[in-house]
Amino acid sequence: MEKTTQLYEGKAKKVYATEDPNLVIVSYKDDATAFNGLKKGTITGKGAINNRMTNNLMRRLEAKGVPTHFVEELSDRETVVKKVSIVPLEVIVRNISAGSFAKRYGVEEGIVFDEPTIEFSYKNDDLGDPLLNSYHALALKLATREEIELIKKYAFMVNDLLKGFMKEIGIDLVDFKLEFGKTADGQIVLADEISPDTCRLWDEKTHEKLDKDRFRRDLGGAEEAYEEVMRRLMGE
Ligand code: TMP
Ligand code: ASP
């Protein structure tokens, strides 16, 4: 499978067309941004880690019944995925208080919830990805009622499975963001990535942060944290 023209360049990935109208190639970059692109930097090696980690997890989720866009890993940084139209919702699931949840509700980070929470934000950089609920998403015609129900169901399935995968490698899954897409034949599938860019991952014993918060909060050691997650997940 060969790349033809570039279709899109986002903050962390580029997307290329292929000879097959139903398939595209994503190429992961080392570029890191935070706060809606205000903070910019590089996490060397991140592109390859996020690509390989996403593919590892998507394969395992697919095997457990979550449909995904994953088709084939081409190289360290490049993967063939189904062409989808992205549902413009960021779907965030949380197991432990952190980040914007802790800030918004004035609570400390690290409170373990009895049940996971889910929230949506409207994927729109100009508006700063505002929080919305499913009624707002319906009013804005971002998805149908059935699609929103399916997205919630898959998001909680992903949480249960991912929490288990992370526990096996001594990591607490604090929270994460998912994106879903719609294929040409109207199927809702998990898309985008699952990586230390899009998850909060804390070492279960030391509670050390093994994710992009090291970059967002200038903690240092982002490269080493990404490598550590990769090593635990894939043994390298
Ligand atoms: P938040 O606490 O800042 O709302 O982030 C919740 C989760 O979503 C966290 O794991 C990081 C991830 N996330 C993204 O993947 N992209 C984003 O643009 C933001 C703001 C958060
Ligand atoms: N990737 C997002 C941005 O650049 C934010 C984040 O992950 O914190 O704004």
Side-chain angles (χ1 to χ4, degrees):
M1 180 85 22
E2 299 271 316
K3 294 182 288 203
T4 57
T5 53
Q6 184 177 310
L7 297 175
Y8 173 78
E9 176 161 10
K11 291 193 282 261
K13 295 186 282 300
K14 293 180 187 178
V15 181
Y16 296 89
T18 67
E19 318 85 78
D20 184 331
N22 293 316
L23 299 176
V24 295
I25 292 174
V26 290
S27 177
Y28 285 70
K29 307 190 284 185
D30 285 354
D31 300 356
T33 64
F35 315 117
N36 202 10
L38 239 54
K39 183 183 171 85
K40 288 191 175 67
T42 302
I43 302 175
T44 305
K46 160 173 107 72
I49 291 174
N50 287 3
N51 178 44
R52 300 193 50 217
M53 176 169 169
T54 295
N55 294 341
N56 174 288
L57 295 171
M58 289 225 181
R59 278 195 200 98
R60 292 160 75 183
L61 291 169
E62 186 94 48
K64 299 281 188 185
V66 180
T68 78
H69 71 165
F70 175 76
V71 176
E72 185 194 0
E73 185 168 286
L74 287 182
S75 66
D76 263 10
R77 279 172 196 274
E78 293 188 342
T79 295
V80 183
V81 299
K82 292 177 189 158
K83 184 169 188 174
V84 297
S85 57
I86 291 287
V87 178
L89 292 173
E90 301 207 336
V91 181
I92 295 158
V93 178
R94 302 178 191 268
N95 298 301
I96 299 177
S97 66
S100 69
F101 182 98
K103 198 168 172 202
R104 184 178 317 118
Y105 302 118
V107 297
E108 62 190 302
E109 296 199 314
I111 302 165
V112 179
F113 303 149
D114 292 338
E115 296 282 337
T117 68
I118 192 164
E119 71 211 38
F120 299 118
S121 48
Y122 179 22
K123 193 172 150 62
N124 183 319
D125 281 344
D126 293 339
L127 300 175
D129 298 339
L131 199 63
L132 47 61
N133 66 32
S134 50
Y135 296 94
H136 299 140
L138 272 178
L140 293 167
K141 298 189 170 29
L142 305 183
T144 67
R145 186 189 299 267
E146 293 72 28
E147 286 165 355
I148 292 170
E149 284 313 307
L150 203 52
I151 285 171
K152 280 191 203 163
K153 186 181 99 170
Y154 290 152
F156 284 123
M157 277 174 76
V158 170
N159 184 49
D160 284 343
L161 294 162
L162 204 53
K163 231 168 39 178
F165 300 158
M166 291 299 159
K167 204 67 200 168
E168 285 169 16
I169 58 171
I171 289 175
D172 284 332
L173 178 64
V174 175
D175 58 32
F176 58 94
K177 185 263 303 181
L178 300 176
E179 293 183 24
F180 291 85
K182 211 167 149 175
T183 60
D185 55 8
Q187 198 198 4
I188 293 285
V189 297
L190 180 62
D192 195 48
E193 65 180 277
I194 306 175
S195 72
D197 271 19
T198 61
C199 301
R200 284 197 175 91
L201 305 169
W202 294 355
D203 181 89
E204 68 175 355
K205 292 210 176 73
T206 65
H207 300 135
E208 189 190 354
K209 296 184 199 320
L210 298 173
D211 57 62
K212 194 176 165 190
D213 272 349
R214 302 209 73 85
F215 169 79
R216 294 189 190 97
R217 302 180 185 190
D218 293 321
L219 301 174
E223 280 85 359
E224 292 76 7
Y226 280 63
E227 282 161 15
E228 175 64 16
V229 174
M230 179 74 172
R231 191 187 60 74
R232 291 194 202 182
L233 192 69
M234 304 182 64
E236 53 192 84

